[in-house]
């Protein structure tokens, strides 16, 4: 008896039935809140109008407390993070801007920083401080996006509006601890033109210095990315003379003093690097002296400062890393003997000579490998006419630096006795 074999594979109809998915009808899938926001239409004018409705309900006179309360109330329904740019435009400028920096229309807030005839900047800054404490997510877009962008448009506004914005920016940086990186926007050509950036920065300086000292201002400028404040001067007057004249006229002598100090520091770095390079390239003493005198003529600096910088450059070029302890002294003495003529060319006057001795003292104190060589180095410099007996005696009696002072005074006593005896014989 035969049986017909049956297949275990499913038929076509069975496969279709298995693959068919059930369909839910009448069920709504709830969209995530973040997805709904992302998909919603971006309507800056609607946001502005809604914000202005809140601000026009402010009681008069407007105070920081009432303004903060109204903004917090608005923040409960309006998307401050999504419309941060429009929020700041209303608070700073009173209305919305279109691309290019011009106002979009005539709608204005009843209170904003650059409002003509009013002085509402300090109130808005204090308001911003308290609002950002509540909505911390607003600080980053303020300092990284809005402020750098808005400073590129200051040429569009009146001198009064620019001054108010500069004063408010100084308060924002001081009181809100906002990054000063936005100041680097002032070097753009269209902002530098017609003294716009210079006048803005001058107003900024005056307000900042009314709150903080010049050292804090200097630290702020270093963090700002504004490499040199001279860059805000129009190119035809971008020099130290015009800079000094401008800030003297504006009663900002502290800026001139700070800038001179900064410029001196830059000259020092350049000189030390140049001297080290010339030594490594084995230039002669005559070539080095000629280069340094040219540099001094282009950027005037006293011999007292220059001779100290030359010393630092010479020592930077000396590599003692592979030397044994008993070799370091002789290597330093030989190095100084070789380049003493370079130092001698700029050791003009008692102050320059004492500065050089102190530079040697600090170097020997810092690098203990050569601390014993100090008296020998002085002898080399004395024999090369870099320093005089009077300079050495003055240094020993009252001119030494505090670093290792007692040690260095003690080890130079034999030299001092010799010089004093010599001086007595000459008398």
């Amino acid at each position: 008896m035969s049986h017909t074999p049956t297949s275990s594979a499913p038929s076509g109809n069975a496969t279709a039935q298995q693959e068919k998915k059930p369909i839910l009808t009448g069920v709504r899938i709830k969209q995530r809140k973040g997805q709904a926001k992302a998909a919603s239409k971006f309507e800056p004018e609607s946001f502005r109008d809604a914000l202005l409705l809140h601000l026009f309900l402010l009681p008069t006179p407007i105070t920081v407390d009432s303004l903060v309360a109204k903004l917090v109330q608005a923040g409960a329904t309006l998307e401050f993070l999504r419309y941060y740019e429009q929020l700041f435009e209303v608070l700073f400028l009173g209305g919305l801007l279109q691309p290019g920096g011009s106002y979009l229309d005539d709608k204005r807030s009843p209170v904003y920083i650059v409002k003509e005839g009013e002085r509402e900047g300090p109130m808005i800054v204090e308001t911003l401080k308290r609002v950002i404490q509540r909505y911390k997510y607003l600080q980053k877009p303020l300092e990284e996006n809005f402020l750098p962008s808005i400073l590129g448009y200051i040429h569009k506004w009146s001198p009064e509006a620019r001054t108010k914005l500069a004063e408010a920016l100084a308060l924002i940086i001081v009181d809100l601890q906002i990054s000063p990186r936005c100041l680097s926007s002032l070097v753009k050509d269209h902002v530098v033109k017609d003294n716009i950036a210079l006048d803005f920065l001058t107003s900024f300086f005056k307000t900042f210095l009314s709150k903080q000292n010049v050292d804090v201002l200097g630290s702020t400028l270093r963090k700002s990315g504004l490499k040199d404040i001279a860059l805000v001067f129009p190119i035809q007057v971008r020099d130290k003379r015009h800079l000094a004249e401008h800030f003297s006229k504006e009663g900002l002598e502290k800026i001139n003093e700070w800038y001179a100090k900064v410029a001196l520091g830059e000259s020092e770095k350049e000189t030390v690097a140049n001297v080290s390079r010339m030594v490594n390239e084995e230039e002669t003493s005559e070539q080095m002296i000629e280069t340094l005198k040219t540099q001094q003529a282009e950027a005037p600096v006293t011999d007292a400062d220059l001779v100290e910088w030359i010393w630092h450059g010479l020592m930077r070029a000396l590599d003692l890393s592979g030397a044994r302890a008993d070799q370091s002294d002789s290597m330093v003495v030989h190095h100084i003997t070789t380049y003493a003529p370079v130092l001698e060319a700029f050791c003009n006057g008692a102050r320059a000579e004492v500065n050089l001795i102190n530079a040697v003292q600090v170097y020997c104190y810092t690098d203990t490998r050569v601390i014993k060589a100090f008296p020998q180095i002085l002898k080399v410099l004395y024999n090369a006419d870099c320093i005089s007996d009077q300079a050495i005696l003055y240094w020993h009696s009252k001119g030494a630096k505090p670093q290792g002072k007692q040690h260095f005074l003690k080890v130079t006593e034999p030299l001092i006795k010799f010089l004093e005896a010599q001086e007595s014989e000459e008398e």
Side-chain angles (χ1 to χ4, degrees):
M1 185 174 176
S2 63
H3 296 278
T4 305
T6 57
S7 172
S8 61
S11 65
N13 289 337
T15 303
Q17 288 175 356
Q18 287 178 357
E19 291 179 353
K20 192 173 181 180
K21 305 277 182 166
I23 298 173
L24 295 176
T25 57
V27 177
R28 296 179 62 189
I29 299 173
K30 188 175 180 182
Q31 192 177 29
R32 290 180 179 272
K33 191 175 180 181
Q35 290 175 326
K37 284 185 178 181
S40 63
K41 190 176 179 182
F42 185 68
E43 298 177 311
E45 291 177 60
S46 297
F47 172 86
R48 183 270 317 271
D49 293 342
L51 179 61
L52 290 183
L53 281 176
H54 285 277
L55 296 179
F56 278 120
L57 294 175
L58 281 165
T60 53
I62 298 173
T63 64
V64 172
D65 289 339
S66 64
L67 185 53
V68 169
K70 193 59 69 175
L71 287 172
V72 169
Q73 182 186 359
T77 55
L78 301 179
E79 298 177 58
F80 278 178
L81 180 58
R82 189 178 190 199
Y83 292 98
Y84 74 84
E85 188 174 358
Q86 289 70 38
L87 171 65
F88 293 139
E89 283 179 356
V90 169
L91 293 176
F92 279 73
L93 310 169
L96 299 188
L97 298 183
Q98 58 186 338
S102 301
Y103 280 107
L104 180 65
D105 51 37
D106 294 331
K107 290 187 177 180
R108 296 290 182 275
S109 168
V111 56
Y112 56 99
I113 287 175
V114 302
K115 189 174 182 181
E116 189 175 347
E118 303 289 342
R119 191 174 182 274
E120 297 177 338
M123 180 175 66
I124 298 291
V125 171
E126 180 59 28
T127 298
L128 273 171
K129 182 179 180 180
R130 289 166 60 176
V131 168
I132 288 176
Q133 285 173 347
R134 184 181 182 92
Y135 303 109
K136 296 187 185 301
Y137 54 74
L138 289 174
Q139 178 165 337
K140 189 173 181 180
L142 174 63
E143 64 185 15
E144 293 186 2
N145 302 103
F146 180 76
L147 289 175
S149 173
I150 213 70
L151 292 194
Y153 297 140
I154 59 174
H155 62 294
K156 296 277 187 178
W157 309 325
S158 68
E160 180 189 354
R162 292 197 291 264
T163 298
K164 288 179 177 179
L165 182 60
E167 293 170 349
L169 179 61
L171 296 176
I172 287 170
I173 291 174
V174 171
D175 294 341
L176 276 69
Q177 299 296 300
I178 290 289
S179 167
R181 295 287 300 177
C182 58
L183 292 174
S184 59
S185 296
L186 295 176
V187 300
K188 295 177 179 177
D189 291 341
H190 63 277
V191 182
V192 170
K193 187 180 177 183
D194 299 326
N195 287 342
I196 291 172
L198 175 58
D199 292 341
F200 184 94
L201 197 62
T202 301
S203 298
F204 174 89
F205 283 162
K206 287 179 179 179
T207 302
F208 196 103
L209 290 174
S210 71
K211 297 287 184 179
Q212 293 286 358
N213 61 43
V214 73
D215 293 328
V216 176
L217 175 60
S219 175
T220 300
L221 289 172
R222 282 193 297 274
K223 297 173 185 174
S224 73
L226 182 61
K227 295 179 180 178
D228 187 346
I229 61 173
L231 295 175
V232 303
F233 283 74
I235 190 68
Q236 61 271 23
V237 292
R238 192 174 293 169
D239 54 57
K240 291 180 181 178
R241 181 174 67 83
H242 283 94
L243 186 147
E245 288 176 356
H246 171 78
F247 289 117
S248 292
K249 180 182 175 183
E250 294 292 334
L252 291 170
E253 282 295 345
K254 288 181 179 179
I255 298 295
N256 283 335
E257 293 169 8
W258 168 82
Y259 188 78
K261 187 177 178 181
V262 170
L264 194 66
E266 291 300 317
S267 294
E268 179 179 3
K269 290 179 185 175
E270 184 182 348
T271 302
V272 171
N274 280 343
V275 171
S276 181
R277 174 189 56 78
M278 288 187 286
V279 171
N280 289 327
E281 293 177 359
E282 298 183 353
E283 292 193 17
T284 65
S285 295
E286 291 76 13
Q287 290 172 317
M288 293 175 67
I289 292 168
E290 183 180 353
T291 299
L292 289 166
K293 284 190 177 295
T294 302
Q295 178 185 315
Q296 189 179 24
E298 293 173 353
V301 62
T302 65
D303 285 340
D305 287 326
L306 186 55
V307 75
E308 186 176 346
W309 302 347
I310 295 170
W311 170 267
H312 293 317
L314 292 174
M315 293 302 101
R316 179 186 288 187
L318 179 61
D319 184 11
L320 297 175
S321 58
R324 298 195 310 268
D326 59 335
Q327 291 179 320
S328 297
D329 290 0
S330 58
M331 286 177 67
V332 169
V333 171
H334 179 265
H335 187 65
I336 297 306
T337 303
T338 302
Y339 292 103
V342 180
L343 292 165
E344 191 274 332
F346 299 94
C347 282
N348 301 314
R351 189 181 168 204
E353 294 177 24
V354 174
N355 265 20
L356 176 56
I357 299 173
N358 277 323
V360 177
Q361 176 192 334
V362 173
Y363 171 75
C364 291
Y365 174 79
T366 305
D367 192 339
T368 54
R369 293 174 298 180
V370 295
I371 193 169
K372 295 179 181 178
F374 180 72
Q376 293 174 271
I377 296 172
L378 288 194
K379 289 175 184 176
V380 169
L381 294 175
Y382 175 71
N383 291 332
D385 290 329
C386 296
I387 54 177
S388 64
D389 51 356
Q390 292 299 319
I392 298 173
L393 293 171
Y394 174 84
W395 168 84
H396 193 270
S397 62
K398 53 185 175 182
K401 291 275 188 180
Q403 292 93 325
K405 180 177 178 179
Q406 294 307 315
H407 168 79
F408 292 112
L409 295 183
K410 183 173 181 62
V411 297
T412 51
E413 282 178 359
L415 175 61
I416 297 302
K417 289 178 180 178
F418 168 76
L419 293 174
E420 286 175 341
Q422 212 174 32
E423 193 176 58
S424 298
E425 288 176 11
E426 288 176 0
E427 289 175 359

